[in-house]
Amino acid sequence: MSVAEKENPRDNYYVQTVNMDAPPPPAPQMQPFQRTYGNPAPLGMMAYGTVFLCSSILTLASKSVGQPNLVLVFATFYGGISQTLVGMWEMFLGNTFSATVFTTYGGFNLSFGALYLPQIGLAAAYTVDGVVGQEFYNAIGIYLAIWDLITFLFFLGAIRTTAPIVVTLGFTICALTCLSINAFTGNPHFATAGGALGIIASFGAYYGALSLFWTQQTTFSFIRLPPLITAPSNV
């Protein structure tokens, strides 16, 4: 064995010492938990469409259904509560426009349902000798006209969203305009037009809701609906 091939115990000891003093491998780190949230918009649009559909059908069937108090159930316990909650959830998710729209219409539905509550006494305040005066219908006309203006402002802010939302808000504007004119004038043709336009608006809301929660995980591809986005995000 040559001198170069001889083992040096000190060298081996030094190598072993270095290896023993090496830092341990890093411990595996746990991945942070990522919470997922659902989309509350379909619930809000379903509630919007249902209340408007009920109100519009009762408007068209005013001759056979004298007391439209059924709207109170839908407007208060479904539309009002659900849309207000959806608005709060949308605000939590950072969707300011959706939060404003849904919370506003939640208040609209609650106030609309309150019109039919005797405890509120709105109709009684305009009643003379047991007959509701024209002042009551003028007040309703002003009420609907204000909501018509609010809906128009929402419509301007929703042009770049999806076609169902634009259609829903657009026909809602037309329906509220006709219903407001009917309240002022008593012309039944405007009531009929308002009811028909309201049904179209409700189906627009239904389409928007179904396009959001008929997904690949819930139903077949031939059933799902496209969202129909009106403008690309870079415009």
Side-chain angles (χ1 to χ4, degrees):
M1 207 175 200
S2 63
V3 177
E5 295 176 346
K6 290 183 179 180
E7 295 183 357
N8 190 337
R10 291 186 178 183
D11 292 342
N12 291 337
Y13 175 77
Y14 176 75
V15 172
Q16 293 178 0
T17 303
V18 172
N19 291 337
M20 291 179 62
D21 293 340
Q29 296 182 353
M30 295 181 62
Q31 295 294 329
F33 176 73
Q34 295 182 352
R35 185 183 300 274
T36 57
Y37 299 95
N39 185 2
L43 172 60
M45 299 191 72
M46 286 290 290
Y48 183 95
T50 301
V51 174
F52 217 160
L53 180 63
C54 176
S55 174
S56 299
I57 291 176
L58 291 178
T59 300
L60 294 176
S62 58
K63 294 182 179 180
S64 57
V65 182
Q67 296 296 328
N69 289 14
L70 180 63
V71 180
L72 171 64
V73 179
F74 283 104
T76 303
F77 297 102
Y78 187 33
I81 295 176
S82 297
Q83 287 188 285
T84 301
L85 291 175
V86 168
M88 297 298 99
W89 295 330
E90 289 283 1
M91 187 69 73
F92 173 77
L93 296 175
N95 302 323
T96 304
F97 180 80
S98 298
T100 305
V101 172
F102 285 122
T103 307
T104 300
Y105 280 118
F108 167 70
N109 285 319
L110 290 172
S111 64
F112 188 73
L115 295 177
Y116 300 96
L117 282 175
Q119 292 80 1
I120 300 296
L122 182 62
Y126 298 95
T127 301
V128 179
D129 297 330
V131 178
V132 178
Q134 181 59 35
E135 289 185 53
F136 171 75
Y137 299 103
N138 292 339
I140 296 297
I142 295 173
Y143 171 83
L144 294 174
I146 292 174
W147 283 108
D148 195 8
L149 173 62
I150 293 174
T151 305
F152 177 72
L153 298 178
F154 289 155
F155 174 81
L156 295 179
I159 295 176
R160 293 181 64 250
T161 56
T162 63
I165 295 177
V166 173
V167 169
T168 300
L169 294 176
F171 278 96
T172 299
I173 294 171
C174 298
L176 291 177
T177 301
C178 292
L179 295 175
S180 178
I181 295 174
N182 169 256
F184 284 117
T185 64
N187 190 328
H189 297 293
F190 285 104
T192 302
L197 293 169
I199 291 177
I200 298 175
S202 65
F203 279 107
Y206 281 145
Y207 185 101
L210 297 177
S211 66
L212 292 176
F213 77 85
W214 279 355
T215 63
Q216 185 177 2
Q217 291 75 26
T218 61
T219 189
F220 297 105
S221 59
F222 64 88
I223 298 178
R224 297 196 296 269
L225 300 174
L228 302 177
I229 300 174
T230 56
S233 59
N234 58 352
V235 176

